[in-house]
Amino acid sequence: MQNIGFSDIKITGGYWKTRQEINSSVTIKSVYERFRETHRFDALRCEWKDGEPDMPHIFWDSDVAKWMEGAAYILNSKNDETIAEIIEDAIDCIIENSDENGYFNSHYLVTEQENRFRNRDCHELYCAGHLFEAAVAYYEITGKDRFLKAMCKYADYIEKVFKTDKNAAFTTPGHPEIELALMKLYKATGEKHYADLAKYFIDEHGKHTEEQNYIESFNEYYNQDEMPIKDRETAEGHCVRALYLMCGAADVAYEYSDDELKKACERFFDNIVNKRMYITGGVGSTYIGESFTIDYDLPNRTAYTETCAAISLAMFANRMLKFGADSKYADIVEKAIYNGVMSGVSLDGKSFFYENPLEIDPEFNNVNTSTKQKERFPITQRLEVFECSCCPPNILRFVASIAGFLYSFDDETVYVHQYMDSETNANGIKITQKTEYPANGKIIVRCESDKKKIAFRIPGWCKAFTVNRNYVIKNGYAYVVLNGEDKIELEFDMPVRIIAANRRVHENAGRVAIMRGPVVYCAESVDNGADLKSVSIDINAEFEVNDSELLLPVLKTKAYRPKENENLYYEAGYDYEEIPLTLIPYYAFANRGESEMQVWLLRKQQIRGLCNKT
Amino acid sequence: MQNIGFSDIKITGGYWKTRQEINSSVTIKSVYERFRETHRFDALRCEWKDGEPDMPHIFWDSDVAKWMEGAAYILNSKNDETIAEIIEDAIDCIIENSDENGYFNSHYLVTEQENRFRNRDCHELYCAGHLFEAAVAYYEITGKDRFLKAMCKYADYIEKVFKTDKNAAFTTPGHPEIELALMKLYKATGEKHYADLAKYFIDEHGKHTEEQNYIESFNEYYNQDEMPIKDRETAEGHCVRALYLMCGAADVAYEYSDDELKKACERFFDNIVNKRMYITGGVGSTYIGESFTIDYDLPNRTAYTETCAAISLAMFANRMLKFGADSKYADIVEKAIYNGVMSGVSLDGKSFFYENPLEIDPEFNNVNTSTKQKERFPITQRLEVFECSCCPPNILRFVASIAGFLYSFDDETVYVHQYMDSETNANGIKITQKTEYPANGKIIVRCESDKKKIAFRIPGWCKAFTVNRNYVIKNGYAYVVLNGEDKIELEFDMPVRIIAANRRVHENAGRVAIMRGPVVYCAESVDNGADLKSVSIDINAEFEVNDSELLLPVLKTKAYRPKENENLYYEAGYDYEEIPLTLIPYYAFANRGESEMQVWLLRKQQIRGLCNKT
């Protein structure tokens, strides 16, 4: 099964066209400026001297590399001399300052040369991996290969140090990512030994716990070194590390037909989506270790749910589709990209969330007069740059390449995993989608191809749909026989749905979330007044679906709130007031000033004069 | 208005008789043993040398002093040679090791003599105050005055240093308590200058912020030094410090007829009980600074609600009664003593909670595999001793002197503030109460006195009651004219009540607490199975009231829980199961192994086949 790359697909309308336009006009510049101001680009010049301010940080290269990767993607559809020059200048720096082995790291080269590959927790291989990804991207978009060649030399050196000579102080990266990057390098160059090196790292994880160095307070789970991947039953430790690693593992399992490793990937996926994932596709229940915790532990207000984690969940789920089309994977891609990923960037494209909580209650954050210490809550407004600023350029490259999630194909069938207004003509497959999805569920697909079939994902959230052709359902995909020039009309019924959480998710007890299609909704006090936590909603409520400036529709309904009462405690009665309730797409929260925000609303309770019997 | 001291009252039956028996047979010994083992009693010998282990801690004297005070109280009703000897031995140590000025502090005397009264945050005046309280107690119970005299000398020295010479490094204690202790010293000795010194400290609070030393990360609110007491509108900072201080302030306001200070006390009380108090009478919404936060910020699972804070709230509320009988004060005494205080000690009297949360969910505490760091939650099982072990001896002295909350009198009237099976004959007032209160609401009061009236508090929770005599209600008290030898029968209707919280308490949105009389109930998973957070209760539910081994009745009713569902998220429906629900008195939680615990249960929601219309 092969993917149709995003560079062969043009997004032509709808939500993603708007998002991509902002991404390529605003986000790319804004992230560049913040990185420039914070000396991340300067660092590539390797001119920093001991005692100067702004010492290059161990993970700055990865920030710049992700920006370069995203910028390359944007150059695919847009000529921009300025961006092209910035990339070329960065490549100049990297090539000029790489040492005779091909090694490049803007921190180690100017600070502690002697400690190269001595500290597992210093992100060297993670930075290398991102540089490889950037080089592959730039090569594939522009055809220019000097950056790719330089990174191949670097990869060869890593292979020598880690696999051949085994003289690094550790055997696997503390922060995985190089595994998936090496698989990309292999695909771009055809050099199988890069895949072999990826497989080597994948196989080594968890084998050498005794000799590794761990950050104080963190352990082998944090570093994805607790046990061999094949033995794992659950998703543990730092979410982004875990998910990047498993992206590499899925790539390796597919490339080497490693069924045991594939099964570990399946268990990992199932554990996440069945027990450890927020309804937004966010993962990471605690800031401590930025990590998974235990099944059903999904606090809303302190959710960590890093943007990069949602991105990497989508990346991992998409890789699982290579083993065969199964809608459970593409459904999670969809869930993540419309919710927990895109909440990570403001509607104007300039500012970002690292953490994406499902509840914000700003009045009750940090309100202890007696101390300068604070309890820790996620920030309530997006920032333009973070000290650890992995998420902004990750969003940049993700949005630029979003179309890569749309299609794959094998000898017989073209698979349509996601629905976006778009056109492609590659690999002998010409497809256009005309749709406003997910504003509504109507999609017209035109397909010209010599493939026998086209398979459409039927979203897991969809209980009723029509296809204007005969179809056969298999693993959540509707297979339609192609005639050569086909026009297929799909319509997914898209009512507002009221979702409950498993009763083991104590945080959501008595509460429901509102979804329409793949989009999770939330309420903000800027629309609805304060004390949102006390607002309840009838599970049979009727909703108006209204267009809005938030790109996808907002919902209007009525809800119930306890009347004001001057007492702190009082005998429970039926004094509720009916209020109009506006729900906005979750991704759009915190775009209109600081506000209370709730995804999980109370389910309507006993209210005077209203019979709840059904 | 004068109090009838606990030493003139005998508890003769019911809940408090049992608690006092355990207190005087088990708790006193258990706390002593733990303090002995941890060298707190040894410390009084002042033999510790630099380099040795177990350096006397700055607040150990207060622990021992509170034990001595409680032990003295117990000697009032029980001859116990062993206890008497321990006290005498401790007094020997204190007197022998006091310096020529009368100064005694088992930490400073052996560690840093030169730093005496240099560090405001080192609890010297707090320890002194507790020693004064112990000395007054021992004198009043036994008539022996050598300890009292020693402490008077110490108090004179403090007066000289702080008030006359003003050569301490600070002007008011970082941890208040000495103010109320000086008022006790004044009452015991008649020496008005002790009251004047108390007044001096009260008046100085908040005047000299510039010259004080504060603990790193804490500030002037923490130390009750943010502004003059008379200017304060809200309850801020460390709860126990605030409440002990305001006990002293109330005493001083009463003694000096300081109306401005009295009004500050009233504002402080109102802010707490109307906006910052848990339904259990617990206060302290965060462990950071053990402090008040802001109005309506009352998280249940991370509630700090120190046992000492509930005790000191009862002490403060009781002092406010001196200004005139008003049931709002005695109601809070009652709320605290039956709930947030007594939850601090196990039913067997041996172990203690420092923090008394309103929700325990042990499975979801500290469950991060990737880190050795933990999020902070209150402990789930009581301990026999803490490093900071203020609460155990505080409970000891509190239970031993509980009867002191019962009565006060003025020229005309005897006031009955609390209801306990008891007898007293003092100050020309002979009263017996025959009652099982609060197991039920029936009380028979016999009174022989030359007072004109007896006034009974009508509990704020009580909506219907009978008195077998004519009465007039004023400020929540029913005034009955006395004939000389009276038998008055009261009956307070005591149905189970379902209580809601103000909608601004976001933590309790959609939830209700169950009370019967003054007793707050909770559900534990040991009775009801797991996932208590998802259990809902009908606000019209009927309850069985059953006797139990937990001293006061348990309640049985039916409740509703979502059926098990294998999905993490699913369309909300009506799949609830009816379950029997057992509710136990809150004070009895965590006595039967580690368990989930919930005070605030979900209010019943839309359930299939059940009409919630009322």
Side-chain angles (χ1 to χ4, degrees):
Chain A
M1 191 127 128
Q2 254 189 284
N3 225 39
I4 298 182
F6 77 91
S7 55
D8 290 324
I9 304 169
K10 186 176 180 194
I11 302 289
T12 45
Y15 178 84
W16 289 106
K17 182 158 189 253
T18 308
R19 286 291 204 172
Q20 285 199 331
E21 282 170 357
I22 295 166
N23 196 55
S24 61
S25 61
V26 177
T27 306
I28 188 169
K29 287 178 190 156
S30 178
V31 174
Y32 171 73
E33 283 302 324
R34 299 299 86 72
F35 282 4
R36 191 186 56 74
E37 289 161 8
T38 55
H39 307 284
R40 281 164 162 86
F41 277 90
D42 285 348
L44 301 180
R45 306 193 187 284
C46 297
E47 291 168 353
W48 183 86
K49 298 276 182 308
D50 205 22
E52 290 179 0
D54 306 308
M55 182 179 79
H57 193 278
I58 51 168
F59 49 58
W60 277 3
D61 289 350
S62 68
D63 292 343
V64 170
K66 265 185 287 191
W67 183 90
M68 292 170 73
E69 183 186 347
Y73 293 163
I74 285 169
L75 289 183
N76 180 55
S77 53
K78 180 182 174 180
N79 256 326
D80 190 316
E81 283 296 317
T82 314
I83 291 172
E85 276 171 27
I86 295 167
I87 299 177
E88 282 290 330
D89 183 50
I91 293 171
D92 286 345
C93 292
I94 293 166
I95 290 175
E96 275 167 30
N97 293 304
S98 294
D99 78 0
E100 66 281 7
N101 300 303
Y103 179 88
F104 180 84
N105 182 296
S106 71
H107 171 82
Y108 277 95
L109 285 172
V110 299
T111 57
E112 35 177 341
Q113 276 270 22
E114 69 285 8
N115 287 327
R116 180 187 298 187
F117 297 139
R118 308 319 297 165
N119 190 329
R120 188 169 190 263
D121 291 308
C122 283
H123 293 65
E124 272 172 299
L125 296 179
Y126 169 78
C127 286
H130 275 302
L131 287 167
F132 300 173
E133 286 201 85
V136 169
Y138 194 65
Y139 167 70
E140 291 188 338
I141 300 300
T142 65
K144 297 178 185 171
D145 67 358
R146 66 180 184 127
F147 189 19
L148 184 69
K149 281 181 174 166
M151 289 304 107
C152 285
K153 187 176 176 192
Y154 190 3
D156 295 341
Y157 176 56
I158 289 171
E159 183 177 348
K160 180 173 188 303
V161 171
F162 282 84
K163 192 176 163 199
T164 312
D165 299 347
K166 292 188 178 13
N167 55 17
F170 50 93
T171 55
T172 58
H175 196 316
E177 129 74 16
I178 196 170
E179 303 84 352
L180 75 88
L182 285 165
M183 291 305 291
K184 282 191 174 180
L185 208 56
Y186 156 57
K187 293 286 178 194
T189 62
E191 296 278 344
K192 187 72 189 295
H193 64 105
Y194 295 134
D196 292 343
L197 181 58
K199 178 170 161 44
Y200 173 78
F201 281 132
I202 292 292
D203 290 343
E204 285 296 304
H205 268 279
K207 283 195 183 161
H208 295 88
T209 54
E210 70 287 345
E211 72 194 46
Q212 311 289 329
N213 42 354
Y214 300 111
I215 300 174
E216 194 184 0
S217 299
F218 294 103
N219 63 19
E220 66 275 18
Y221 284 93
Y222 179 74
N223 280 336
Q224 298 299 309
D225 200 30
E226 72 272 23
M227 65 181 82
I229 294 170
K230 291 177 182 180
D231 297 337
R232 298 181 190 179
E233 298 290 335
T234 53
E236 302 292 346
H238 187 287
C239 293
V240 177
R241 294 173 191 229
L243 281 155
Y244 279 170
L245 176 64
M246 296 306 277
C247 283
D251 286 342
V252 165
Y254 183 74
E255 184 64 31
Y256 292 87
S257 302
D258 184 336
D259 195 54
E260 210 187 340
L261 188 58
K262 175 189 163 206
K263 284 201 166 61
C265 291
E266 289 169 346
R267 290 195 302 273
F268 177 80
F269 179 87
D270 289 344
N271 179 244
I272 290 174
V273 304
N274 295 329
K275 294 180 177 168
R276 300 186 177 195
M277 181 187 70
Y278 288 86
I279 196 168
T280 56
V283 289
S285 298
T286 177
Y287 76 96
I288 299 176
E290 309 182 297
S291 68
F292 293 104
T293 57
I294 58 165
D295 294 348
Y296 305 113
D297 181 38
L298 296 162
N300 292 313
R301 194 171 165 217
T302 58
Y304 197 69
T305 44
E306 183 183 338
T307 305
C308 288
I311 288 174
S312 52
L313 177 60
M315 287 164 51
F316 171 67
N318 201 49
R319 277 166 168 79
M320 293 305 287
L321 286 169
K322 286 196 276 194
F323 298 107
D326 186 329
S327 64
K328 76 176 189 177
Y329 297 116
D331 280 349
I332 293 300
V333 171
E334 182 178 69
K335 179 184 275 294
I337 66 179
Y338 283 106
N339 303 294
V341 171
M342 292 312 289
S343 58
V345 57
S346 60
L347 292 174
D348 69 8
K350 282 185 187 165
S351 56
F352 304 90
F353 274 135
Y354 192 109
E355 296 164 62
N356 297 271
L358 281 77
E359 171 181 329
I360 293 181
D361 200 352
E363 184 182 346
F364 292 99
N365 287 3
N366 303 324
V367 285
N368 184 341
T369 50
S370 76
T371 172
K372 295 158 204 149
Q373 292 179 65
K374 301 291 183 192
E375 295 193 55
R376 188 191 184 285
F377 293 103
I379 59 173
T380 59
Q381 294 284 280
R382 291 177 185 82
L383 297 177
E384 294 201 16
V385 67
F386 302 85
E387 277 191 49
C388 176
S389 208
C390 48
C391 300
N394 218 354
I395 285 265
L396 176 77
R397 65 175 188 154
F398 186 85
V399 171
S401 60
I402 190 73
F405 290 103
L406 284 177
Y407 305 113
S408 61
F409 62 90
D410 57 24
D411 292 344
E412 276 211 336
T413 309
V414 183
Y415 298 93
V416 184
H417 303 298
Q418 305 297 335
Y419 300 101
M420 300 178 192
D421 194 275
S422 60
E423 47 190 58
T424 182
N425 188 352
N427 307 93
I429 301 162
K430 187 174 173 188
I431 306 181
T432 63
Q433 290 190 44
K434 288 309 296 174
T435 182
E436 294 171 17
Y437 187 98
N440 63 56
K442 287 181 203 158
I443 304 131
I444 298 171
V445 177
R446 284 192 169 79
C447 180
E448 291 177 42
S449 163
D450 57 358
K451 300 285 177 193
K452 289 191 188 141
K453 295 182 205 160
I454 187 164
F456 299 100
R457 175 177 61 98
I458 308 302
W461 52 259
C462 179
K463 297 285 168 272
F465 62 93
T466 56
V467 185
N468 72 337
R469 292 276 286 274
N470 290 336
Y471 61 87
V472 174
I473 297 277
K474 189 184 155 198
N475 291 335
Y477 282 72
Y479 288 74
V480 172
V481 174
L482 286 170
N483 299 321
E485 245 181 83
D486 297 77
K487 180 186 175 191
I488 300 154
E489 297 181 23
L490 303 162
E491 184 161 2
F492 299 119
D493 202 17
M494 199 181 272
V496 173
R497 290 168 304 123
I498 313 283
I499 307 296
N502 192 294
R503 79 178 197 205
R504 302 242 57 223
V505 184
H506 295 175
E507 183 80 10
N508 296 339
R511 293 184 174 270
V512 289
I514 287 77
M515 294 186 71
R516 181 171 172 273
V519 178
V520 174
Y521 281 78
C522 68
E524 287 197 309
S525 58
V526 69
D527 296 311
N528 303 297
D531 303 332
L532 283 177
K533 195 121 192 202
S534 298
V535 170
S536 63
I537 191 166
D538 190 326
I539 67 166
N540 298 309
E542 291 183 3
F543 294 85
E544 273 180 46
V545 179
N546 295 341
D547 288 343
S548 86
E549 292 173 356
L550 305 175
L551 302 185
L552 289 174
V554 299
L555 307 178
K556 304 256 188 191
T557 186
K558 62 186 183 184
Y560 308 89
R561 184 166 54 188
K563 285 189 181 161
E564 280 192 10
N565 189 308
E566 63 181 5
N567 298 305
L568 182 53
Y569 304 109
Y570 56 96
E571 294 222 14
Y574 302 92
D575 291 329
Y576 288 79
E577 58 198 16
E578 193 178 300
I579 58 165
L581 185 73
T582 298
L583 295 156
I584 66 165
Y586 169 77
Y587 65 72
F589 81 89
N591 273 284
R592 297 167 299 160
E594 194 174 60
S595 177
E596 287 183 27
M597 185 275 284
Q598 283 288 328
V599 168
W600 291 94
L601 297 171
L602 267 182
R603 186 175 166 154
K604 195 181 79 179
Q605 303 181 315
Q606 297 160 301
I607 291 175
R608 183 185 298 282
L610 293 168
C611 180
N612 295 326
K613 188 168 174 178
T614 58
Chain B
M1 190 124 131
Q2 255 189 282
N3 225 39
I4 298 182
F6 78 90
S7 56
D8 289 324
I9 304 170
K10 186 178 177 191
I11 302 289
T12 45
Y15 178 83
W16 289 106
K17 182 158 190 255
T18 308
R19 285 290 204 171
Q20 285 199 330
E21 282 170 357
I22 294 165
N23 196 54
S24 62
S25 62
V26 177
T27 307
I28 188 169
K29 287 177 190 155
S30 178
V31 174
Y32 171 73
E33 283 301 324
R34 298 298 86 74
F35 282 3
R36 191 186 56 73
E37 290 161 6
T38 53
H39 307 284
R40 280 165 161 84
F41 277 90
D42 286 348
L44 301 179
R45 304 194 189 285
C46 297
E47 291 168 353
W48 182 87
K49 298 277 183 305
D50 204 22
E52 289 179 2
D54 305 309
M55 181 179 78
H57 192 277
I58 52 167
F59 50 57
W60 276 3
D61 288 351
S62 69
D63 292 343
V64 170
K66 266 186 285 191
W67 183 90
M68 292 170 74
E69 183 186 347
Y73 294 162
I74 285 168
L75 289 182
N76 179 56
S77 54
K78 179 181 174 182
N79 257 326
D80 190 316
E81 284 296 319
T82 313
I83 290 170
E85 276 171 28
I86 295 167
I87 299 177
E88 283 289 330
D89 183 50
I91 294 170
D92 287 345
C93 291
I94 293 165
I95 292 177
E96 275 167 30
N97 293 305
S98 295
D99 77 3
E100 66 282 6
N101 301 303
Y103 179 86
F104 180 84
N105 182 296
S106 71
H107 170 83
Y108 277 95
L109 284 172
V110 299
T111 56
E112 36 176 340
Q113 276 270 25
E114 69 285 7
N115 288 328
R116 180 187 297 185
F117 297 139
R118 308 318 295 166
N119 189 331
R120 188 169 190 261
D121 291 309
C122 282
H123 293 68
E124 271 170 300
L125 296 179
Y126 170 78
C127 286
H130 276 301
L131 287 167
F132 299 173
E133 286 201 84
V136 169
Y138 193 65
Y139 167 70
E140 291 187 337
I141 300 300
T142 65
K144 297 177 186 170
D145 66 359
R146 64 180 185 126
F147 189 21
L148 183 68
K149 283 182 173 164
M151 290 304 107
C152 285
K153 188 176 175 192
Y154 190 5
D156 295 342
Y157 175 57
I158 289 170
E159 184 177 349
K160 181 172 188 302
V161 171
F162 282 84
K163 193 177 163 196
T164 312
D165 299 347
K166 291 189 178 17
N167 56 18
F170 51 94
T171 56
T172 59
H175 196 316
E177 127 76 17
I178 195 168
E179 302 84 353
L180 77 88
L182 285 166
M183 291 305 291
K184 282 190 175 180
L185 208 56
Y186 156 55
K187 293 288 176 192
T189 62
E191 297 278 347
K192 188 70 188 296
H193 64 104
Y194 296 133
D196 293 341
L197 181 57
K199 178 170 162 42
Y200 174 78
F201 281 131
I202 292 292
D203 290 343
E204 285 295 305
H205 268 278
K207 284 194 184 162
H208 295 87
T209 53
E210 69 289 345
E211 73 194 46
Q212 311 290 330
N213 42 355
Y214 300 111
I215 300 174
E216 193 186 359
S217 298
F218 295 103
N219 63 18
E220 66 275 20
Y221 284 91
Y222 179 74
N223 279 336
Q224 298 300 307
D225 200 29
E226 71 273 23
M227 65 181 84
I229 294 171
K230 290 176 182 181
D231 297 337
R232 299 182 190 179
E233 297 291 335
T234 52
E236 302 293 346
H238 187 287
C239 293
V240 177
R241 295 173 190 228
L243 281 155
Y244 279 168
L245 175 65
M246 296 306 278
C247 284
D251 287 342
V252 165
Y254 183 74
E255 185 63 31
Y256 292 88
S257 303
D258 184 337
D259 195 54
E260 209 187 341
L261 188 58
K262 176 190 161 204
K263 285 201 165 63
C265 291
E266 288 169 347
R267 289 196 302 273
F268 177 80
F269 179 87
D270 289 345
N271 179 241
I272 291 175
V273 304
N274 295 330
K275 293 180 177 168
R276 300 188 177 193
M277 181 187 70
Y278 289 87
I279 195 169
T280 56
V283 289
S285 299
T286 177
Y287 76 96
I288 299 176
E290 310 182 297
S291 69
F292 293 105
T293 56
I294 59 165
D295 294 349
Y296 305 112
D297 181 37
L298 297 163
N300 293 312
R301 193 170 166 216
T302 57
Y304 197 69
T305 46
E306 183 183 339
T307 305
C308 287
I311 287 174
S312 51
L313 177 60
M315 287 164 51
F316 171 67
N318 201 49
R319 277 165 169 80
M320 293 305 288
L321 286 169
K322 285 196 277 195
F323 297 107
D326 187 329
S327 64
K328 78 174 188 177
Y329 297 116
D331 281 348
I332 293 299
V333 171
E334 183 178 69
K335 179 183 275 294
I337 68 178
Y338 283 106
N339 303 296
V341 171
M342 293 311 289
S343 58
V345 57
S346 61
L347 292 174
D348 69 8
K350 282 185 189 167
S351 55
F352 305 89
F353 274 134
Y354 193 107
E355 296 164 65
N356 298 270
L358 280 77
E359 171 180 329
I360 293 181
D361 200 352
E363 183 182 346
F364 291 99
N365 288 2
N366 301 325
V367 285
N368 185 340
T369 50
S370 76
T371 173
K372 294 159 205 150
Q373 291 179 65
K374 301 291 183 191
E375 294 193 54
R376 189 190 183 286
F377 293 103
I379 59 172
T380 60
Q381 294 284 280
R382 293 176 183 83
L383 297 177
E384 295 202 15
V385 67
F386 302 84
E387 276 190 50
C388 176
S389 209
C390 47
C391 300
N394 218 355
I395 284 265
L396 176 77
R397 66 177 187 151
F398 186 85
V399 171
S401 61
I402 190 74
F405 291 103
L406 282 177
Y407 305 114
S408 62
F409 61 91
D410 56 23
D411 292 344
E412 276 211 336
T413 309
V414 184
Y415 299 92
V416 184
H417 303 299
Q418 305 297 335
Y419 300 101
M420 300 178 193
D421 194 275
S422 60
E423 46 191 58
T424 182
N425 189 352
N427 307 92
I429 302 162
K430 185 175 173 187
I431 307 182
T432 63
Q433 289 189 43
K434 290 309 296 174
T435 184
E436 294 170 20
Y437 187 97
N440 63 55
K442 288 179 202 160
I443 306 132
I444 299 172
V445 177
R446 285 192 168 78
C447 180
E448 290 176 41
S449 163
D450 58 357
K451 300 285 177 195
K452 289 192 189 140
K453 295 183 204 158
I454 187 164
F456 299 100
R457 175 177 61 99
I458 309 302
W461 53 259
C462 179
K463 298 285 166 273
F465 62 93
T466 57
V467 185
N468 71 339
R469 295 275 287 274
N470 291 336
Y471 61 87
V472 173
I473 297 280
K474 189 185 155 199
N475 290 336
Y477 282 73
Y479 287 74
V480 172
V481 174
L482 286 170
N483 299 321
E485 246 182 80
D486 297 77
K487 180 187 174 189
I488 301 155
E489 297 180 23
L490 304 162
E491 184 161 2
F492 300 119
D493 203 17
M494 199 182 272
V496 174
R497 290 169 303 123
I498 313 284
I499 308 298
N502 192 295
R503 79 178 195 204
R504 303 240 58 223
V505 184
H506 295 174
E507 182 81 10
N508 296 339
R511 294 184 173 269
V512 288
I514 287 78
M515 294 187 71
R516 180 172 173 274
V519 179
V520 174
Y521 281 79
C522 68
E524 287 198 308
S525 56
V526 68
D527 295 312
N528 302 299
D531 302 332
L532 283 177
K533 196 123 192 200
S534 298
V535 170
S536 63
I537 190 166
D538 191 326
I539 68 166
N540 298 309
E542 292 183 0
F543 294 85
E544 273 181 45
V545 180
N546 294 341
D547 288 343
S548 85
E549 291 173 357
L550 305 175
L551 303 184
L552 288 175
V554 299
L555 307 178
K556 304 255 188 191
T557 187
K558 62 185 183 186
Y560 307 89
R561 184 165 57 188
K563 285 189 181 161
E564 281 191 10
N565 188 308
E566 63 181 6
N567 297 306
L568 182 54
Y569 304 110
Y570 56 96
E571 295 224 12
Y574 303 91
D575 290 328
Y576 288 79
E577 58 199 15
E578 192 178 301
I579 58 165
L581 184 73
T582 299
L583 295 157
I584 65 165
Y586 170 76
Y587 65 73
F589 82 87
N591 273 284
R592 297 167 299 161
E594 193 173 61
S595 178
E596 286 182 26
M597 185 275 284
Q598 283 288 327
V599 168
W600 290 94
L601 296 172
L602 267 183
R603 185 175 167 154
K604 195 181 78 178
Q605 303 180 314
Q606 298 161 300
I607 291 175
R608 183 185 297 282
L610 293 168
C611 181
N612 296 329
K613 189 169 173 176
T614 58

